Each structure stands twice: as C-alpha cells, then as structure tokens.
Amino acid sequence: DIQMTQSPSSLSASVGDRVTITCQASQDISNYLNWYQQKPGKAPKLLIYDASNLETGVPSRFSGSGSGTDFTFTISSLQPEDIATYYCQQYDNLPQFGGGTKVEIK
Amino acid sequence: EVQLVESGGGLVQPGGSLRLSCAASGFTFSSYSMNWVRQAPGKGLEWVSYISSSSSTIYYADSVKGRFTISRDNAKNSLYLQMNSLRDEDTAVYYCAREQGGVSTPFDYWGQGTLVTVSS
C-alpha cells in the first residue's frame, strides 16, 4: 500500500503569511495527488486536483506543485477564512489520505 | 446543483448492522463512480469503499473488507453502504463522495455526512 506522509500536522501563521504544506508518497504516484480543505463540522472541499490544477471557483491564493513522490500545497497570503484542516490524497491505486494539517491564525 | 444527501446513521450496538443511503441529484448519477469516506471523531479522513458507475468494479479498505457492502441503484439515483458486524472503531461520520473522473479522479462533491455510533 502507498503511504502518504503529510507535514506539519499543525501550524500557526499570521494573516498575510505564506503557508506551505508538504505531502510525501512512499512510491511514485506521478501527479495523482489532490488537496482538500475541511472546516470544522463540514464536509471536505476539493481545492487542487492532479497536483497543480485549481478547482473551479477556488481562490488563486491556493496552489499546488510536485510530481512523483514529493508534493507541496501553498496558500500565498493566509486569510482568516482559510482556517481549516487540509488533506492531501493520492489516487494511484486505491485512494489514500494524508494525516491532515490543521492551520490556525497566530 | 449537485447534491448528495446521506441518511441512515445512528446508534448501534457492537456486532449490529446498519444501512447507509446517499441520495444524489443535480447530475447524471449513472455516469459517475462513487465512494464512501469516513472520519472518526477528532481524526482524519479514511477512504472506505469504491463502486464504478455500472457497479462492475468494487473495492474496499482492508479495515471493512468482508463486513461492509457497497451498492448502487442508478434508477433511484442512490448509493448504499451495508455495514455488518460493526465494531467500536467503525464509529465515524460517513460521507458519500462523487469521483470527478480524469487523471487523479478527485472527489469533487461530498455529502454532509451521517454519524454512525457503535456503542453498547
């Protein structure tokens, strides 16, 4: 099974800061990597698919990059409404989610 | 507008059974593969099961294999999850999610979730 290692598990940043989350796959998954945002008590929301494609309607401050085993998710300028937990997900074979990163405002 | 609405959750004793439903609307249900994903209280997301658009291909996570059965009724625009031999560790919010298709087949629409509590 492919393992997804997401880091950090939590972070605290100021409004306007650049925030970066990484996800590492245990084997090459090409660009079969997606990113989701989940706010408390809500269902996850797709933000980035195919490692770097922005889902329709998602603000451009969110971006993704990487291929193979190493992937990065970035919020270019953190906003108060971005407080949430973010998950990476691979779909090379069966879906597998990373452990999540809880983003808080400093 | 795409909508997925889960139902059927509740409190059940260990060893019991429960059937979850997911009613789909706003899209051609029969054209999309579907999944169940769960989230234990305070924990991360765990994929549970997949079913292709025609029900020809089905997959399960090892944690539920042999106990859970996924199915769908395209005529009724509905997805189901039959859960048997439930354990304490199956306690979670269960989401149905649509696969977008394409390269990485992301889950582009999710229901609001239904809570399953397994406890004596």
Side-chain angles (χ1 to χ4, degrees), chain A residues 1 31-34 36 38 42-44 46 49-50 55 87 89 91 94-95 97, chain B residues 37 39 43-45 47 50 59 62 95 99-100 103-108 110-111:
Chain A
D1 291 359
N31 65 333
Y32 303 153
L33 194 285
N34 308 307
Y36 300 85
Q38 186 180 34
K42 300 294 187 181
L46 176 66
Y49 64 96
D50 300 351
E55 177 71 346
Y87 295 92
Q89 176 227 349
Y91 207 155
L94 297 179
F97 291 92
Chain B
V37 177
Q39 186 170 36
K43 302 298 184 181
L45 301 171
W47 171 77
Y50 160 94
Y59 299 117
D62 288 344
Y95 297 99
E99 277 195 13
Q100 187 182 73
V103 173
S104 62
T105 54
F107 301 166
D108 61 348
W110 299 62

Side-chain angles (χ1 to χ4, degrees), chain A residues 51-77:
Chain A
S52 60
N53 293 322
L54 195 65
E55 177 71 346
T56 302
V58 173
S60 59
R61 64 180 180 274
F62 297 102
S63 65
S65 64
S67 66
T69 60
D70 295 301
F71 301 87
T72 301
F73 172 80
T74 301
I75 307 173
S76 60
S77 177

Side-chain angles (χ1 to χ4, degrees), chain B residues 1-80:
Chain B
E1 179 194 6
V2 172
Q3 280 199 320
L4 298 169
V5 180
E6 301 94 339
S7 60
L11 176 64
V12 61
Q13 291 187 337
S17 298
L18 213 54
R19 189 195 196 204
L20 305 184
S21 299
C22 172
S25 61
F27 66 102
T28 305
F29 180 71
S30 60
S31 296
Y32 289 84
S33 298
M34 298 293 295
N35 291 264
W36 288 99
V37 177
R38 68 184 181 182
Q39 186 170 36
K43 302 298 184 181
L45 301 171
E46 179 189 16
W47 171 77
V48 172
S49 185
Y50 160 94
I51 187 168
S52 63
S53 58
S54 64
S55 303
S56 59
T57 303
I58 286 173
Y59 299 117
Y60 298 99
D62 288 344
S63 57
V64 306
K65 201 174 294 182
R67 301 187 299 121
F68 290 12
T69 302
I70 191 172
S71 63
R72 64 190 295 162
D73 185 335
N74 287 342
K76 294 184 177 179
N77 291 334
S78 292
L79 174 71
Y80 306 102

